[in-house]
Amino acid sequence: MHSPSAAPALLVVAHGSRDPRHAATVTALCARVRAERPGLRVEVAYLDFCAPSVPRALERLAAEGVRDVVALPLLLTRAFHAKSDLPSVLRESAARLPLPEVRQAPVLGPHPLLVRALERRLREADPAGATPGGGRHRNGSTGVVLASAGSSDPEANAVIADVAREWRRTAGWCAVRPAFASASPPGTADAVRALRAAGAARVVVAPYVIAPGRLPDRIAEGAREGGADLLAPVLGAAPELARLVLLRHGQASAAERPYARPA
């Protein structure tokens, strides 16, 4: 049974994909979260394609006596799934289940820990190359494509552009340009070519996505098509992501409870 004094259970809600690498990556990230916070109940649910669904996961938690849950959208921007899709599912579940407390955590981004995870992946892909930490004299000739999944929500895409500007300022790259695998231009290949045309001696692509799948594969294709010098891996189960998941869980645990079941 669930102890009333325990921290709220964490339900990590991923988008889901037909690509099995997606769920495997989410599972690995949650395993790292559990290792960082022993004793915290951590479960996974998906909005589409994969099982369990959010309602099924909440039903299981309720059946096991859990009464306090934080649902954390494993998303980097606050677009449709975080603004509308997940809140609707949580409201419906909270209304019919014995779950007095169901709270939605903020999305992961933007946050400096995500930039650190991007830099980690670049270093892993090319330890001897021009990567963050090499100093401005090395970064100053390197252009970066910050490649995200993309969204039809202009606010979400604007956040990616803001992250790109701030990363250029703090890391000393000659330029950082956003690119999108869907819904909005420019694509990865076009962003690579634009950096090259602007004088970047070296162009690297940093996928701003959590797990492999169709859109990350499209980013990789664009990097090859555009002639990028380096493609970093997806963020995956980076330790920075695990720490950020726990940070968002803590923020939601201390916040108001918008999906509290009516008395």
Side-chain angles (χ1 to χ4, degrees), residues 8 68-71 90 101-105 252-259:
D68 193 359
V69 179
V70 167
L90 293 179
E101 312 292 358
V102 182
R103 285 161 279 174
Q104 181 176 332
S253 298
E256 294 181 2
R257 299 168 175 129
Y259 307 118

Side-chain angles (χ1 to χ4, degrees), residues 200-211:
R202 196 162 186 260
V203 178
V204 301
V205 175
Y208 194 59
V209 292
I210 293 173

Side-chain angles (χ1 to χ4, degrees), residues 151-180:
S151 172
S152 58
D153 187 331
E155 179 186 348
N157 293 335
V159 168
I160 302 300
D162 289 342
V163 171
R165 281 191 292 270
E166 180 64 11
W167 196 16
R168 178 187 181 277
R169 185 188 69 81
T170 57
W173 304 113
C174 73
V176 180
R177 297 203 178 195
F180 307 97

Side-chain angles (χ1 to χ4, degrees), residues 122-252:
L122 283 172
R123 285 193 299 270
E124 290 171 351
D126 187 19
T131 55
R136 290 180 178 269
H137 65 288
R138 294 173 63 186
N139 293 356
S141 61
T142 299
V144 180
V145 175
L146 182 67
S148 75
S151 172
S152 58
D153 187 331
E155 179 186 348
N157 293 335
V159 168
I160 302 300
D162 289 342
V163 171
R165 281 191 292 270
E166 180 64 11
W167 196 16
R168 178 187 181 277
R169 185 188 69 81
T170 57
W173 304 113
C174 73
V176 180
R177 297 203 178 195
F180 307 97
S182 68
S184 179
T188 303
D190 288 339
V192 170
R193 295 186 189 109
L195 283 171
R196 196 81 73 190
R202 196 162 186 260
V203 178
V204 301
V205 175
Y208 194 59
V209 292
I210 293 173
R214 179 176 58 88
L215 294 180
D217 284 349
R218 190 177 295 174
I219 290 171
E221 291 167 7
R224 290 191 293 269
E225 179 187 337
D229 298 289
L230 177 70
L231 171 67
V234 298
L235 298 174
E240 293 83 2
L241 257 69
R243 291 198 290 271
L244 183 52
V245 165
L246 289 169
L247 174 64
R248 297 302 192 211
H249 172 265
Q251 290 172 332

Side-chain angles (χ1 to χ4, degrees), residues 16-215:
S17 171
R18 293 185 179 92
D19 188 324
R21 296 175 297 169
H22 177 92
T25 301
V26 174
T27 298
L29 176 59
C30 289
R32 188 178 286 275
V33 172
R34 294 186 189 98
E36 290 271 345
R37 186 71 56 81
L40 176 65
R41 177 76 179 264
V42 181
E43 299 292 340
V44 181
Y46 297 91
L47 292 169
D48 206 354
F49 301 116
C50 303
S53 67
V54 176
R56 298 294 85 77
L58 288 173
E59 287 170 6
R60 186 178 66 191
L61 287 168
E64 294 179 7
V66 176
R67 295 293 179 264
D68 193 359
V69 179
V70 167
L72 185 145
L74 200 64
L75 303 169
L76 299 180
T77 59
R78 191 172 175 270
F80 172 78
H81 290 301
K83 290 179 179 179
S84 179
D85 196 7
L86 181 56
S88 176
V89 172
L90 293 179
R91 287 190 188 97
E92 188 276 334
S93 295
R96 65 181 177 80
L97 294 172
L99 288 166
E101 312 292 358
V102 182
R103 285 161 279 174
Q104 181 176 332
V107 296
L108 296 180
H111 196 276
L113 282 169
L114 290 171
V115 175
R116 293 180 200 168
L118 286 166
E119 294 175 348
R120 171 187 293 275
R121 294 306 187 220
L122 283 172
R123 285 193 299 270
E124 290 171 351
D126 187 19
T131 55
R136 290 180 178 269
H137 65 288
R138 294 173 63 186
N139 293 356
S141 61
T142 299
V144 180
V145 175
L146 182 67
S148 75
S151 172
S152 58
D153 187 331
E155 179 186 348
N157 293 335
V159 168
I160 302 300
D162 289 342
V163 171
R165 281 191 292 270
E166 180 64 11
W167 196 16
R168 178 187 181 277
R169 185 188 69 81
T170 57
W173 304 113
C174 73
V176 180
R177 297 203 178 195
F180 307 97
S182 68
S184 179
T188 303
D190 288 339
V192 170
R193 295 186 189 109
L195 283 171
R196 196 81 73 190
R202 196 162 186 260
V203 178
V204 301
V205 175
Y208 194 59
V209 292
I210 293 173
R214 179 176 58 88
L215 294 180

